[in-house]
Amino acid sequence: MILDVLIVGAGPSGLAAAIACQRLGLAYDLLEKGVLVNSIFHFPSHMAFFTTPELLEVGGYPFVSPFEKPTRLEALRYYRRVVDGQRLTVTLGEEVQGVERQPADNTFLVRSTTRHGVEHRHVARAVVLAIGYYDHPNRLGVPGEDLPHVSHYYDEAHPFYRQRVVVVGGANSAAESALELHRAGAHVTLVHRHAVLDDGIKYWVRPDILNRISEGSIAVRYETEVVEISRDAVVVDHAGARDTIAADAVFLLTGYHPDREFLGRCGVQFDPATCAPVHDADTFETSVPNLFLAGGVTVGHGTAPVFIENGRLHGEKIVAMIARRLS
């Protein structure tokens, strides 16, 4: 069977594209290598979104919450209800290995593998890559980065009670994590390569973290970079002088980026200045005809401009264009 559209990634952008396909009568499938809304599932357990419920909605399906800012748990429940309520075709636990355009008939051959190692091949007239960026942290490239007590993801604070914790980063994730760890009884040091914290920190988090730093509850090292991590310490450099910070746990919260290697294998080109995948800003089509990008995968170095609130709108626009081309 030749699909009209194959969607890769079951986040909000991918689900929105699937809903649009279903409503327009297009034959589609959606493949997700992990679980439904995999990135949201891996957000911190007690996270609340920096937005209101209606801005997380897809396909006009109401997101009802008693809170002004919905929680991660509510979002997971909401997206499960959307898939069930809309009876979407979603295949979980199947990772796409490659997308190859077949010039002879203007289709794509999509190769995938299930979590049990079974290989599949799919043929589609158009492909939408809604793979986000959260799976690929910005690595520091320093010795010790892969030690067991080092992580690029923060979950919850309780295991670090009375532990010495180093948090690397200066944006929202680092600030929120440092605050939670401090309030759970951890001894926290925040390491940031710039002279001030990021301007994009949530407006209610920013004064909190600055006050904790000012009173000495959270230690901070500004204009400082990590050069090495050992089993019980982090070696840092400030203005050419090295120092050691004792650490039982290290969180490297330095951001994330799209899977450039995978995108390159699909034929996607990149802007050399921003590392953003080259695509049409209005149609989201790449230089490969009928290969589209949706959601966070469209960004490069800076991921802030695209998030669920606006990335969820890409899918409907993309699928409407595909439907016009196929009519």
Side-chain angles (χ1 to χ4, degrees):
M1 174 184 176
I2 299 179
L3 299 168
D4 292 319
V5 185
L6 189 136
I7 305 160
V8 185
S13 299
L15 293 178
I19 292 171
C21 286
Q22 187 159 286
R23 290 176 176 171
L24 290 172
L26 301 181
Y28 76 94
D29 196 359
L30 189 160
L31 305 182
E32 164 60 54
K33 68 178 181 179
V35 301
L36 186 68
V37 288
N38 195 66
S39 293
I40 295 175
F41 174 72
H42 287 99
F43 285 172
S45 299
H46 306 296
M47 191 205 80
F49 284 89
F50 181 33
T51 189
T52 51
E54 67 272 12
L55 294 179
L56 301 178
E57 294 176 357
V58 292
Y61 202 84
F63 188 163
V64 179
S65 169
F67 307 111
E68 180 182 357
K69 296 178 177 63
T71 66
R72 164 189 169 275
L73 185 60
E74 287 183 297
L76 295 177
R77 184 182 302 118
Y78 166 76
Y79 291 114
R80 292 196 303 268
R81 289 179 58 216
V82 169
V83 172
D84 290 341
Q86 298 292 320
R87 297 182 179 179
L88 298 180
T89 301
V90 177
T91 303
L92 301 173
E94 186 165 337
E95 183 172 4
V96 171
Q97 307 295 335
V99 177
E100 302 171 19
R101 188 165 183 267
Q102 310 294 298
D105 58 0
N106 292 321
T107 62
F108 290 92
L109 173 63
V110 179
R111 295 175 291 102
S112 62
T113 307
T114 70
R115 59 168 61 102
H116 302 297
V118 179
E119 296 183 356
H120 289 171
R121 291 190 172 199
H122 313 264
V123 179
R125 295 183 175 88
V127 173
V128 179
L129 300 178
I131 58 176
Y133 51 76
Y134 196 59
D135 290 341
H136 298 273
N138 296 328
R139 294 177 58 85
L140 300 185
V142 300
E145 188 167 4
D146 295 317
L147 287 171
H149 68 298
V150 181
S151 177
H152 290 89
Y153 299 91
Y154 168 79
D155 185 14
E156 59 179 322
H158 178 74
F160 306 98
Y161 170 65
R162 293 193 175 181
Q163 300 290 298
R164 301 165 299 179
V165 183
V166 172
V167 177
V168 181
N172 199 73
S173 295
E176 286 194 296
S177 302
L179 287 168
E180 285 193 17
L181 288 160
H182 158 64
R183 294 198 167 103
H187 306 289
V188 183
T189 301
L190 186 63
V191 176
H192 186 36
R193 62 178 178 170
H194 298 301
V196 295
L197 297 181
D198 192 270
D199 290 336
I201 294 176
K202 297 172 184 176
Y203 66 84
W204 68 89
V205 173
R206 187 175 185 81
D208 193 358
I209 186 69
L210 292 177
N211 286 338
R212 302 294 76 74
I213 290 172
S214 178
E215 70 187 15
S217 298
I218 293 177
V220 66
R221 303 286 188 98
Y222 288 122
E223 297 181 292
T224 300
E225 296 197 15
V226 174
V227 295
E228 185 178 350
I229 303 170
S230 68
R231 290 182 299 172
D232 57 2
V234 175
V235 181
V236 296
D237 182 283
H238 172 71
R242 293 199 172 188
D243 193 11
T244 300
I245 306 170
D248 301 302
V250 182
F251 290 99
L252 305 178
L253 305 181
T254 52
Y256 308 89
H257 63 268
D259 187 346
R260 300 185 189 109
E261 182 180 346
F262 170 75
L263 291 171
R265 293 201 307 270
C266 296
V268 177
Q269 300 175 345
F270 292 87
D271 183 308
T274 65
C275 283
V278 175
H279 64 284
D280 187 293
D282 294 321
T283 66
F284 304 101
E285 188 172 20
T286 69
S287 58
V288 181
N290 290 320
L291 178 64
F292 299 85
L293 305 177
V297 71
T298 59
V299 301
H301 289 313
T303 57
V306 178
F307 34 89
I308 296 176
E309 291 91 320
N310 54 11
R312 69 195 172 110
L313 305 177
H314 297 173
E316 185 174 351
K317 189 172 184 179
I318 292 168
V319 173
M321 168 168 286
I322 293 171
R324 287 195 298 269
R325 289 182 180 179
L326 295 177
S327 62

